[in-house]
Amino acid sequence: MTALLPLLSGLGTGLALIVAIGVQNTYLLRLAVSAGVRVVAAAVVVCAASDALLIVAGVLGVGAVVERFPVALLVVRFVGAAFLLTYGVLAARRALRPSGDAMRVADEATDDGVMGADADAGIDATTGTTVAAGRTRTAPPGQVVTMRTAVLTMLVFTWANPHVYLDTLVFLGSVANQQGADDRWLWTIGAVTASCLWFGALGFGGRLLRPLFEKPLTWRVFDGLVAVVMLAFGVLLLVGA
């Protein structure tokens, strides 16, 4: 029972920190409703593994090193802001000027994350519909995300965000070390578990929203919200908030 207390404390603190609207969660949700299961799984692994690595590094004291070199976070801040603003503009463009009707693609994905079709599949030239074995699902208008694109984009969203270093390396690492030598690793396991649970639930649970994205209007509204989130966070990074 005593061992459960630091575990649950770490779990609760981790969830409180990561369950929020942010660029990482927004992009993962977009993948959940549009990409193949392999792509979503890869993105979930990137998010959870990155958090785990940063939290453990914070417990080991790397956060103190980061605090001594603020210029490093400054560089990360401007790189991240540039990427977020660019992505936000592209999302706004998709919302305002959609490139076509919502597509339907095969339920199975190829190994590199491209939504593939079986040998007997065909493509409707008028609607952009790919049909395979009678199974379809939605994809964002005019865009099919590959495994490589999803992973690289998620890595940038994760590692080019200076707040992730402050939240994990500094804050979570500090809180973990306040638990004492005996409990800090149990607390850390709880925090890492929170990350895995949240990103897994968002990535795979988000797939339940796919029926909503059969309509092009849903994609326009969603991309509009993505644009607001990305542009807002990009501006906040620029002004140092």
Side-chain angles (χ1 to χ4, degrees):
M1 185 65 179
T2 303
L4 282 178
L5 293 178
L7 275 171
L8 293 176
S9 177
L11 181 67
T13 305
L15 286 174
L17 198 64
I18 65 174
V19 178
I21 297 176
V23 294
Q24 193 182 41
N25 292 337
T26 302
Y27 184 65
L28 182 57
L29 182 59
R30 191 172 210 279
L31 291 178
V33 298
S34 64
V37 65
R38 295 180 183 88
V39 174
V40 175
V44 168
V45 169
V46 168
C47 293
S50 295
D51 267 15
L53 180 60
L54 288 166
I55 293 171
V56 170
V59 175
L60 294 175
V62 177
V65 177
V66 171
E67 287 184 301
R68 294 176 186 175
F69 295 95
V71 66
L73 288 181
L74 186 65
V75 172
V76 171
R77 194 179 92 197
F78 284 111
V79 171
F83 189 83
L84 289 176
L85 292 173
T86 301
Y87 194 94
V89 169
L90 293 176
R93 182 180 179 183
R94 288 196 303 267
L96 297 173
R97 299 173 58 187
S99 56
D101 294 332
M103 296 182 299
R104 293 184 175 184
V105 294
D107 194 41
E108 296 297 328
T110 59
D111 289 337
D112 64 354
V114 178
M115 294 158 202
D118 295 335
D120 58 346
I123 299 177
D124 188 321
T126 303
T127 63
T129 300
T130 304
V131 182
R135 296 172 297 182
T136 61
R137 60 180 174 76
T138 59
Q143 182 181 10
V144 176
V145 181
T146 66
M147 176 79 75
R148 180 179 179 181
T149 299
V151 169
L152 290 178
T153 303
M154 188 61 79
L155 284 172
V156 174
F157 280 148
T158 301
W159 293 88
N161 178 11
H163 293 295
V164 75
Y165 300 101
L166 298 176
D167 290 344
T168 53
L169 283 176
V170 179
F171 177 72
L172 289 182
S174 175
V175 175
N177 284 317
Q178 291 175 17
Q179 309 304 310
D182 294 335
D183 292 339
R184 66 171 184 165
W185 289 112
L186 289 173
W187 192 96
T188 301
I189 291 173
V192 171
T193 301
S195 217
C196 295
L197 289 175
W198 169 250
F199 289 122
L202 185 62
F204 296 108
R207 294 168 66 85
L208 298 176
L209 298 175
R210 288 187 167 187
L212 295 175
F213 287 83
E214 290 286 348
K215 298 179 180 179
L217 178 60
T218 306
W219 278 112
R220 296 189 68 178
V221 173
F222 184 72
D223 279 327
L225 294 175
V226 170
V228 171
V229 171
M230 299 297 177
L231 293 173
F233 276 90
V235 171
L236 288 174
L237 285 184
L238 277 181
V239 301

